[in-house]
Amino acid sequence: MLFKKKYALRREYDAALLKLMTETKGKWEYSKRIEHSVIEKDSLLFAQTKLAKAKYFYLFKEAKKRNIKGDTSTLEFFK
């Protein structure tokens, strides 16, 4: 019984991590599009893009460490 609860909790947190990865990837893609479409280069915009990228790759490493497989290519956050 204890293992079933542990497995269910792990699945729940894995799903939450994948959802967070999808949202973070969407924010990163959106930041990249904004950065490429802006004529004047702004250091704050550049920093926000780098931060979004760093967040996504941190979550990616965590998912890899936890051996989570899933699809984060569906961008539901920004379309």
Side-chain angles (χ1 to χ4, degrees), residues 57-74:
F57 279 104
Y58 173 77
L59 293 173
F60 184 80
K61 285 181 189 179
E62 189 65 30
K64 188 174 180 179
K65 190 186 312 180
R66 294 173 69 170
N67 200 19
I68 299 173
K69 297 187 179 10
D71 185 20
T72 60
S73 64
T74 57

Side-chain angles (χ1 to χ4, degrees), residues 29-73:
E29 292 291 327
Y30 181 73
S31 295
K32 283 194 319 186
R33 281 188 297 203
I34 294 295
E35 186 178 336
H36 289 298
S37 65
V38 172
I39 295 172
E40 294 180 21
K41 298 298 177 187
D42 185 17
S43 61
L44 180 62
L45 183 62
F46 180 72
Q48 288 175 341
T49 304
K50 290 294 248 183
L51 180 63
K53 180 180 178 182
K55 285 180 182 178
Y56 174 71
F57 279 104
Y58 173 77
L59 293 173
F60 184 80
K61 285 181 189 179
E62 189 65 30
K64 188 174 180 179
K65 190 186 312 180
R66 294 173 69 170
N67 200 19
I68 299 173
K69 297 187 179 10
D71 185 20
T72 60
S73 64

